[in-house]
Amino acid sequence: MRDLVIVGAGGFARETAAAATGWRVLGFVDDDPALHGTQRSGLPILGPVDSVLGMDAAVVVCVGNPRAYTARRRIVERLALPPRRYATVVHPSVSIGAGSTVGEGTVLLAGAVLTADVTVGAHVAVMPQAVLTHDDLVAPYVTIASGVRLGGGVVLSEGAYVGAGALLREGVTVGAWSLVGMGSVVLGDVPPAEVWAGSPARFLRKSSVPERQSS
């Protein structure tokens, strides 16, 4: 059993610890000094994020919410670890169909379903009970919240965030770093760096695109 350290100590991080049944979870790292030396879900906060650089353990970055969903890429770029250091965490109840692939650093939580020929990139967060159907393409750093349903052939571009319970019609594309609000029904393409919500979903405002961090 391989050792695992989880970056972040919020809800997503603790859910990932619970899902990582095939790993020996050593604890969490977080940049909030008030957390250092405390525990979350029975596991210790081991120190700041950069402390993973000196640890002999696999790493998974579990940060980001609708207000800060660009944070995962910023931390991955800041750490600059080789891909082999990153764990892929899959809850035992997840169903992964034939022809589907899952990238490094990605987390699939309880009850998620990938039906067939689904491609999920690196550092993606798939929350409980999400369903990804045939030929969906999910780029790195995407977040798919609980209960999302993607029709066949949907494309989620880099860093997109799809809120809880959203429904996406087959063949639509959500542009890079766009956010789809919870419960939305997406019937057409969403351009990059925009926030859409409603049924049917419509444009609300622009969103921000994170700058690449220099190494």
Side-chain angles (χ1 to χ4, degrees):
M1 186 176 290
R2 193 175 172 195
D3 292 342
L4 175 67
V5 174
I6 297 173
V7 176
F12 176 35
R14 287 177 278 126
E15 290 172 334
T16 298
T21 57
W23 299 85
R24 183 185 299 108
V25 182
L26 302 181
F28 308 100
V29 293
D30 195 282
D31 282 337
D32 182 354
L35 295 178
H36 299 167
T38 67
Q39 290 193 347
R40 291 291 184 274
S41 298
L43 293 168
I45 312 295
L46 301 169
V49 169
D50 289 347
S51 64
V52 301
L53 298 173
M55 296 180 184
D56 184 19
V59 176
V60 62
V61 179
C62 297
V63 299
N65 57 55
R67 295 171 297 283
Y69 62 95
T70 64
R72 199 175 313 129
R73 192 182 81 176
R74 290 199 302 270
I75 290 177
V76 169
E77 291 180 347
R78 167 181 150 193
L79 292 174
L81 292 169
R84 67 178 181 274
R85 282 289 307 275
Y86 284 106
T88 300
V89 176
V90 179
H91 190 278
S93 65
V94 169
S95 175
I96 301 178
S100 299
T101 59
V102 180
E104 71 274 359
T106 286
V107 176
L108 307 180
L109 292 180
V113 175
L114 284 59
T115 62
D117 298 305
V118 176
T119 301
V120 178
H123 307 291
V124 171
V126 181
M127 302 300 178
Q129 306 299 324
V131 176
L132 287 62
T133 56
H134 66 88
D135 304 303
D136 288 338
L137 177 60
V138 180
Y141 305 110
V142 164
T143 300
I144 299 172
S146 59
V148 167
R149 301 290 189 266
L150 305 182
V154 166
V155 175
L156 301 181
S157 304
E158 182 180 17
Y161 187 105
V162 183
L167 307 176
L168 277 66
R169 185 178 183 175
E170 66 276 3
V172 304
T173 294
V174 177
W177 304 105
S178 283
L179 183 149
V180 173
M182 62 185 300
S184 296
V185 177
V186 180
L187 301 179
D189 292 348
V190 175
E194 294 187 357
V195 176
W196 284 48
S199 178
R202 64 192 185 281
F203 172 78
L204 295 184
R205 62 182 184 275
K206 299 294 290 184
S207 65
S208 61
V209 177
E211 295 182 359
R212 293 282 181 185
Q213 296 191 35
S214 58
S215 57

